[in-house]
Amino acid sequence: MLVSFPRQKREISNFDYLMYLNTLAGRSYNDYMQYPVFPWVLADYHSETLNLTNPHTFRDLSKPMGAQTVERKHKFIQRYKEVEKNLSAQCHYCTHYSSAIIVASYLVRMEPFTQTFCSLQGGSFDVADRMFHSVKSTWESASKDNMSDVRELIPEFFYLPEFLTNANHFELGCMQDGTVLGDVQLPPWADGDPHKFILLHRQALESEYVSAHLHCWIDLIFGHKQHGSAAVAAVNTYHPYFYGDKMDLNSIKDPLIKSTILGFISNFGQIPKQV
């Protein structure tokens, strides 16, 4: 059972509470495959100023990233139904909200994550248009535009401005529109300042709105809506291989199948342990 009283009483911050839950669920900075997962908390990456008293400023924390818009939600529900008819692995999402490549892509401008990212990519950077280069475009991809993208965030978005700058001057490539990748493009309300972005983003995480709704996201990631009928109803089911702690790998005798499953988990992510 989740112990939420300290957070409700404002005895600890939302950030500290999320780190506590991640630790309980087996997530660690030492494991890219089970790195701490944090939520997108904002939906406004276009305004000149950030209004933390307006509910529309925030992401809907009661819904997973695949259900942030009605149209997108219906598409994933339809996928779930079609998979059921085809008798394949039944799920809403075949990609995960947290994986080694997602973590490394966010932190690619900092070592040792640069080398980790290149290693995962086969020795080089990815195509520039697919690299993490803009907070706004990444939000739009994960919340509405890309059916293969349901990524959430990592803790660094709330305390580490350095990961947003290309201080090492890595040659990250050039996008199709001619944009040369360098520092991460920030929302207008950050005024191009990574420190201001982190400050306001952390204020958003600790805001009254997020404090009142954070438990909904926790239910999806760590709680009772993580799997089973509650997850189906919440449009929150993932490929069976992502639920590593619920699979009895020892009962799988075929070494090729076992290796495939382990490789899938390693490359594409793992659902946190339920707490």
Side-chain angles (χ1 to χ4, degrees):
M1 180 179 294
L2 292 176
V3 181
S4 59
F5 294 110
R7 188 181 66 81
Q8 291 175 348
K9 294 179 180 179
R10 301 295 197 271
E11 293 176 0
I12 63 174
S13 66
N14 289 336
F15 182 92
D16 289 338
Y17 185 63
L18 287 172
M19 286 303 303
Y20 173 64
L21 291 178
N22 271 283
T23 301
L24 284 180
R27 315 292 286 191
S28 169
Y29 282 116
N30 297 321
D31 187 348
Y32 292 166
M33 294 177 290
Q34 296 193 72
Y35 207 78
V37 55
F38 269 58
W40 288 94
V41 294
L42 294 172
D44 183 354
Y45 298 97
H46 57 271
S47 296
E48 294 295 329
T49 58
L50 192 62
N51 183 358
L52 297 180
T53 64
N54 183 355
H56 296 293
T57 297
F58 298 91
R59 166 256 183 101
D60 188 342
L61 289 161
S62 70
K63 295 181 175 64
M65 290 304 292
Q68 288 297 305
T69 69
V70 174
E71 180 183 6
R72 184 170 162 94
K73 175 182 176 181
H74 288 330
K75 286 181 179 179
F76 280 118
I77 291 174
Q78 185 61 34
R79 172 189 287 178
Y80 184 91
K81 292 178 178 178
E82 289 174 354
V83 170
E84 183 178 22
K85 293 176 184 176
N86 296 330
L87 302 178
S88 340
Q90 190 173 21
C91 61
H92 294 105
Y93 314 115
C94 295
T95 53
H96 199 262
Y97 49 77
S98 177
S99 66
I101 192 65
I102 289 174
V103 172
S105 68
Y106 280 144
L107 301 174
V108 69
R109 290 164 176 79
M110 297 173 55
E111 291 287 13
F113 303 99
T114 310
Q115 294 304 314
T116 299
F117 181 83
C118 290
S119 176
L120 291 170
Q121 284 293 126
S124 62
F125 292 120
D126 197 0
V127 175
D129 288 82
R130 292 201 297 260
M131 295 281 287
F132 172 53
H133 65 278
S134 161
V135 177
K136 178 177 180 287
S137 65
T138 302
W139 159 255
E140 291 175 346
S141 172
S143 64
K144 63 177 183 177
D145 292 342
N146 189 344
M147 292 290 284
S148 297
D149 185 2
V150 292
R151 81 186 85 174
E152 293 279 6
L153 299 182
I154 54 176
E156 285 82 352
F157 273 84
F158 300 94
Y159 70 83
L160 189 68
E162 286 78 10
F163 88 97
L164 298 166
T165 63
N166 188 22
N168 292 310
H169 305 291
F170 292 120
E171 294 184 4
L172 302 174
C174 181
M175 298 174 64
Q176 290 184 359
D177 64 3
T179 301
V180 177
L181 297 195
D183 297 344
V184 175
Q185 296 173 10
L186 302 176
W189 44 260
D191 295 327
D193 183 349
H195 291 84
K196 184 173 182 179
F197 172 84
I198 294 295
L199 174 64
L200 292 177
H201 205 217
R202 183 64 174 267
Q203 288 178 358
L205 178 64
E206 305 299 339
S207 67
E208 288 298 322
Y209 179 91
V210 172
S211 295
H213 296 87
L214 186 58
H215 67 282
C216 299
W217 183 83
I218 290 170
D219 286 342
L220 294 169
I221 306 300
F222 303 106
H224 76 285
K225 293 182 180 179
Q226 185 192 81
H227 65 275
S229 58
V232 175
V235 195
N236 192 45
T237 65
Y238 297 80
H239 193 285
Y241 288 174
F242 292 144
Y243 299 85
D245 63 330
K246 304 201 180 307
M247 298 189 66
D248 185 7
L249 293 176
N250 293 324
S251 66
I252 300 174
K253 303 305 180 184
D254 188 322
L256 180 58
I257 295 177
K258 181 182 286 189
S259 175
T260 299
I261 294 174
L262 289 173
F264 193 98
I265 293 171
S266 298
N267 288 306
F268 298 107
Q270 189 169 349
I271 299 291
K273 294 178 182 177
Q274 191 175 35
V275 296

